[in-house]
Amino acid sequence: MGSGSRPGTPGGTKAEATITKISSPSQLSIGCKAFFEKDSEIRQAEVLSIRDKAMRQNIQRTADDAPLDNSESKLEYEFYVHYLEFNKRLDEWVPDSRTRLDKPVTFPKKKNKAAHGGGQQTARDKKRKTNTGGSVATGTAPQTPEPVRHDDSAYTAPREVFSKEKEIEKLRTSGSMTQSTSEVARMKNLNLMEMGQFQIEPWYFSPYPIEYAYTPVLYICEFCLCYYANKTQYTRHRTKCTLQHPPGNEIYRKDDLSFFEIDGRRQRTYCRNLCLLSKCFLDHKTLYYDVDPFLFYILTQRDERGCHIIGYFSKEKESAENYNLACILTLPQYQRMGFGRVLMQFSYELSKAEGKVGSPEKPLSDLGLLSYRTFWSEMLVDLLVGYDGEISIDDLSQLTCFTVQDIMHALFSLDAIRYYHGQHCIVLSERVMEAHERFAKKKLRKVDSSCLKWTPKVFTQAELRYLQ
């Protein structure tokens, strides 16, 4: 069959991608790339799913489903699309009326079953050295030592071509809570969440049970994080829920901010609900069912009704690499208020109390690397400006509890390492000093170490037996 044949129909074993024009939106299929109207612009998008607009019933979920039946001309369709070169949080359902029929459509090339069927994944992704699940997916560490690098490649995961089969296999073999593997990391399954006085639009897919997904609004208790599909159930729960703060120990309080420490083994339900909630806003987070190996630190804001969750970070109880943070999230309604910086600073205050240096778990996402690089740079410049005398990288590490590698990465990003009279020196340029002056004028939220009432946890062998 020629290259103009419709994708999904029987034909040759190999075909190139087809670019053609269509006369009706019903000719679109899963995987094709068409043009749609978005905010008074015309954007190209990939079709991920198709459903009947009236019945809200999915007609096509995968590219292997049968093509749409053109005989039902009265049907109106909705397409779940991902806008190319835009973040996945902008993915949405669009009506067929927003399809631009005057633009060409690119249909995917047909898979070669003979070549595709023989290759099976023979090795699983490397798990943590502790051989446990966790509340965050970060990449795998290299198996052989490599030279220390201070560029972004040492902190971020390597770029890989998206493979749905590998993604599903990775989640399946890592103990994920995901139930519908055909939807993994591709489509948002929640339309709107109501949490306290806020209504929040989720950004990404989160594997809530199927009976709670695809509802108009998902109601979440802001104190216990239990979720309900309708308002009546949620209202009844609120009359019975006695929690007014996260179910853990309050280890920090200053003004209206508090931190609570929660053991994932003692409060499994709360921590699992927290992971489900955070997955709605973290694209690259692999959700694990086993939260036992983790401690969760919840940042809250207190008022007359209780302590309302702002964000959190988690850390491993036992980390061979001395990671002091595994996953971090500030809820959307509290973003751009300086709370992310508070979470990062608090993780290092815990490292200081433990008497050891720490670092966030690698690899970092692009946004995570940018946030941490800014935090490291600002803290180091602030320390160097107020320091009188000579100071070494090791001294900076002891004072800040940053690792030497993180300090070097931040200084290189500032272009502050210079070679002078036979030795390396730290030189702060005028641009860096001007940025520091602007930073000093800001009224930023800071963690007061004197308000931290915390003793480092010491776990017995019995408490860590799941790590073996």
Side-chain angles (χ1 to χ4, degrees):
M1 183 173 292
S3 60
S5 62
R6 179 175 175 81
T9 56
T13 58
K14 183 177 181 180
E16 297 297 329
T18 305
I19 301 178
T20 183
K21 286 191 176 183
I22 59 174
S23 58
S24 171
S26 63
Q27 294 177 268
L28 297 177
S29 63
I30 297 294
C32 71
K33 297 176 182 178
F35 287 86
F36 298 87
E37 295 178 356
K38 169 69 173 177
D39 298 333
S40 302
E41 297 181 359
I42 300 176
R43 299 181 183 175
Q44 189 177 24
E46 179 184 358
V47 178
L48 303 181
S49 185
I50 305 175
R51 70 183 182 186
D52 180 359
K53 183 177 181 180
M55 302 296 294
R56 293 294 177 91
Q57 181 178 1
N58 285 55
I59 301 175
Q60 281 187 310
R61 282 185 178 268
T62 69
D64 297 330
D65 294 335
L68 300 181
D69 186 0
N70 295 343
S71 62
E72 296 290 341
S73 58
K74 296 182 179 180
L75 286 179
E76 294 184 357
Y77 302 107
E78 285 185 335
F79 305 95
Y80 190 85
V81 299
H82 166 65
Y83 297 103
L84 302 184
E85 299 182 0
F86 286 86
N87 193 281
K88 285 175 57 179
R89 70 179 68 176
L90 298 179
D91 295 1
E92 62 179 348
W93 286 101
V94 299
D96 53 11
S97 58
R98 286 169 54 181
T99 308
R100 292 300 300 260
L101 300 179
D102 57 327
K103 298 289 185 178
V105 178
T106 303
F107 289 97
K109 54 185 176 182
K110 190 176 179 181
K111 293 182 180 180
N112 189 342
K113 294 185 178 180
H116 193 71
Q120 295 182 352
Q121 190 172 355
T122 58
R124 297 181 177 181
D125 292 333
K126 182 182 178 183
K127 296 185 178 180
R128 302 178 186 271
K129 290 185 179 181
T130 54
N131 195 24
T132 64
S135 66
V136 62
T138 54
T140 57
Q143 297 182 3
T144 56
E146 295 182 355
V148 176
R149 301 179 63 181
H150 307 295
D151 57 359
D152 293 357
S153 61
Y155 284 78
T156 56
R159 301 288 183 180
E160 295 181 357
V161 179
F162 177 81
S163 171
K164 191 171 185 178
E165 291 77 10
K166 290 183 179 179
E167 180 82 358
I168 294 174
E169 178 67 13
K170 180 179 179 181
L171 295 180
R172 184 186 67 79
T173 58
S174 300
S176 171
M177 294 169 63
T178 303
Q179 301 298 323
S180 178
T181 54
S182 64
E183 302 289 334
V184 170
R186 297 295 284 167
M187 293 174 50
K188 287 187 288 190
N189 56 342
L190 300 175
N191 299 317
L192 195 66
M193 298 190 304
E194 184 173 310
M195 189 174 178
Q197 60 179 337
F198 299 100
Q199 284 193 337
I200 315 165
E201 182 179 351
W203 296 347
Y204 307 110
F205 170 86
S206 181
Y208 279 95
I210 189 64
E211 58 268 23
Y212 295 94
Y214 307 105
T215 57
V217 180
L218 182 68
Y219 299 90
I220 299 178
C221 176
E222 60 180 331
F223 296 111
C224 69
L225 303 185
C226 291
Y227 44 88
Y228 299 91
N230 62 68
K231 185 74 171 180
T232 303
Q233 292 176 339
Y234 171 72
T235 304
R236 184 179 180 184
H237 165 78
R238 288 299 306 135
T239 60
K240 297 181 178 181
C241 184
T242 58
L243 278 181
Q244 292 184 327
H245 59 77
N249 298 323
E250 186 178 13
I251 61 175
Y252 177 90
R253 178 188 293 184
K254 183 177 182 181
D255 299 330
D256 61 341
L257 296 183
S258 296
F259 270 96
F260 290 83
E261 181 184 58
I262 300 179
D263 190 334
R265 189 175 190 181
R266 295 178 180 271
Q267 298 290 341
R268 288 192 180 101
T269 300
Y270 181 90
C271 294
R272 289 169 181 171
N273 290 342
L274 179 62
C275 289
L276 284 171
L277 176 63
S278 63
K279 181 62 183 72
C280 293
F281 310 104
L282 297 175
D283 184 18
H284 300 291
K285 173 184 173 66
T286 302
L287 191 69
Y288 289 89
Y289 190 72
D290 184 14
V291 295
D292 289 12
F294 286 83
L295 294 170
F296 295 81
Y297 295 90
I298 316 297
L299 174 60
T300 64
Q301 192 168 39
R302 188 175 58 259
D303 62 14
E304 65 279 0
R305 296 190 297 114
C307 296
H308 309 275
I309 180 173
I310 294 175
Y312 84 100
F313 70 89
S314 61
K315 61 180 293 187
E316 291 179 284
K317 294 177 180 177
E318 290 290 330
S319 175
E321 297 84 1
N322 285 332
Y323 290 140
N324 64 359
L325 183 144
C327 180
I328 183 172
L329 171 71
T330 303
L331 292 177
Q333 63 267 34
Y334 294 104
Q335 290 183 0
R336 304 187 67 83
M337 298 181 183
F339 291 118
R341 179 186 176 85
V342 173
L343 290 168
M344 288 186 286
Q345 187 178 356
F346 193 79
S347 68
Y348 282 103
E349 290 296 332
L350 297 184
S351 295
K352 291 179 182 179
E354 292 175 316
K356 58 184 181 182
V357 298
S359 181
E361 190 167 327
K362 310 294 191 306
L364 296 170
S365 64
D366 294 339
L367 184 59
L369 175 60
L370 180 62
S371 301
Y372 261 98
R373 181 194 294 157
T374 303
F375 173 74
W376 291 329
S377 301
E378 291 174 347
M379 296 297 290
L380 289 172
V381 172
D382 187 57
L383 177 60
L384 291 171
V385 169
Y387 192 85
D388 186 16
E390 295 185 356
I391 189 171
S392 66
I393 299 297
D394 289 333
D395 294 334
L396 287 174
S397 180
Q398 292 298 321
L399 291 173
T400 61
C401 285
F402 300 167
T403 63
V404 172
Q405 183 179 0
D406 293 341
I407 293 175
M408 294 297 293
H409 177 80
L411 293 178
F412 271 104
S413 68
L414 294 174
D415 194 22
I417 301 295
R418 304 291 176 83
Y419 191 74
Y420 182 73
H421 283 272
Q423 63 179 352
H424 288 90
C425 302
I426 301 176
V427 180
L428 301 180
S429 64
E430 292 183 4
R431 176 182 58 84
V432 174
M433 294 303 298
E434 292 174 357
H436 172 70
E437 291 176 0
R438 293 193 298 269
F439 166 74
K441 294 179 181 179
K442 295 180 180 179
K443 295 182 179 180
L444 299 175
R445 303 176 187 270
K446 296 183 179 180
V447 175
D448 187 351
S449 58
S450 64
C451 297
L452 176 63
K453 309 299 180 183
W454 181 74
T455 303
K457 293 274 188 181
V458 178
F459 297 96
T460 64
Q461 189 64 29
E463 291 174 320
L464 297 176
R465 60 186 177 185
Y466 56 85
L467 297 177
Q468 305 301 323

